[in-house]
Amino acid sequence: MNIKFILNEYILIWNLLFRQSISKELNSRKQKIWVNYKKEYHALQEENINILRDPKNYIPNDDTIYNIIKEQDVYENFYKYTDKYKLELIEAWDHNKKEIIKELNSIIKIHLKDYHVYLVEPRLNVTDYTFSIENHNRVICYGIKKANKKELLIDLIYKIIVKEALNYKEEKKDIVEAVLELCILNELATRITGKSHYLRGKSSLNFLKKQIYPYFLMYLGVGKENMFNFMKRDGILFDVNHYPYQEEIKEMDLYAFLDFCIEKQSHTKQTVQIEELEVI
C-alpha cells in the first residue's frame, strides 16, 4: 500500500462552495456568488461525483464560478492552509509509513492497493470516496483536523479499509466496522503510539467489539497463556476458559475473519458477559 497526497483546486473549491462554511467571510462570498450566478452555482451541486471519477483529467463544462473563487483573497488563504496540511501529511507519511505498513500488514494480512488522497481544507471535516474498477482508480477526498499526525494517518487508513471491506460485506456494516475498529483504531494505533487505544471508537459498537475481542486475540495469534496481559492492556476482561482456543483463526486474513465473525453472530444465541477492567 502506498498513499499519494494531492491538492487539486477543483476539488478544494467544490468543497469550499458546498460544505458548511468555515468562516464568515467565506459564507459571505458564497452568498454573493449564489445571488449573481444561481444557474451556474446550481449546476455544480453534484459535480463532485464527476471530479472524483478522474480528478487528474477533469475539465469543467463551465469554469465561471471556479475562476471567480480563485480570484478571492479568502480562497488564497484556504489554499495556502491546505497546501501546508498536504506538506505535513507527506512528511508524516514518509517518516512513519514503513512502521505503519509493517504493522498494518501483520494485522489485516492482506495487501491494499495504492490510494490517491485529494486533500481539502481540514476544518471542513470531509471524507469522500470513489472507486473505478475499470481503471483501478482508488480515490479518497479527505480533510480532517487532528493535531497528532500519526493518529491522523491511522484515521485515514481506517476509513480507506472500511470502504474496501464494506464493498466486500456491505450488508453487515456493524460487524465490518467493529472488526476494523479493533484492527485499526485500536490495535494498529496501540502498536504505533505505544499506548492502548482500545477504548476509542464508536460507543454504539462497544458491546459488539467486546463479543468479538476474544476471537480477535486468537486472530492476532495471542496464545491462551498471554491473553490476560492483553486484557489488562486493553481494559477488557473475559473468562478465557469460556472460549476454546481455535488455532485456525490465526491463519485467517481480514476477510476470512470477517466471514468468521458474521457466521458466529448469526449462530450464537447466548449473550457473553464481559466486564470492564478497572483502570489501575
Side-chain angles (χ1 to χ4, degrees), residues 14-55:
W14 189 93
N15 280 276
L16 289 170
L17 284 170
F18 291 100
R19 304 291 182 185
Q20 184 175 354
S21 296
I22 50 178
S23 76
K24 290 182 179 179
E25 186 179 4
L26 175 62
N27 190 57
S28 175
R29 300 295 173 89
K30 286 162 61 173
Q31 288 179 345
K32 287 180 181 179
I33 293 171
W34 169 250
V35 168
N36 295 309
Y37 299 91
K38 287 183 180 178
K39 181 180 177 181
E40 292 85 351
Y41 204 115
H42 182 75
L44 291 179
Q45 283 185 331
E46 304 296 330
E47 193 64 7
N48 63 316
I49 298 171
N50 292 326
I51 303 174
L52 288 175
R53 281 193 184 119
D54 191 5

Side-chain angles (χ1 to χ4, degrees), residues 187 191 213-231 233-234 245-247 250:
E187 184 62 25
R191 294 186 187 187
Y213 180 76
Y215 302 105
F216 181 65
L217 293 185
M218 299 178 204
Y219 168 75
L220 293 178
V222 177
K224 195 169 184 177
E225 69 282 2
N226 293 320
M227 283 186 171
F228 182 75
N229 293 330
F230 280 78
M231 286 187 257
R233 180 197 74 172
D234 302 330
Y245 196 86
Q246 301 178 54
E247 290 281 349
K250 69 181 180 182

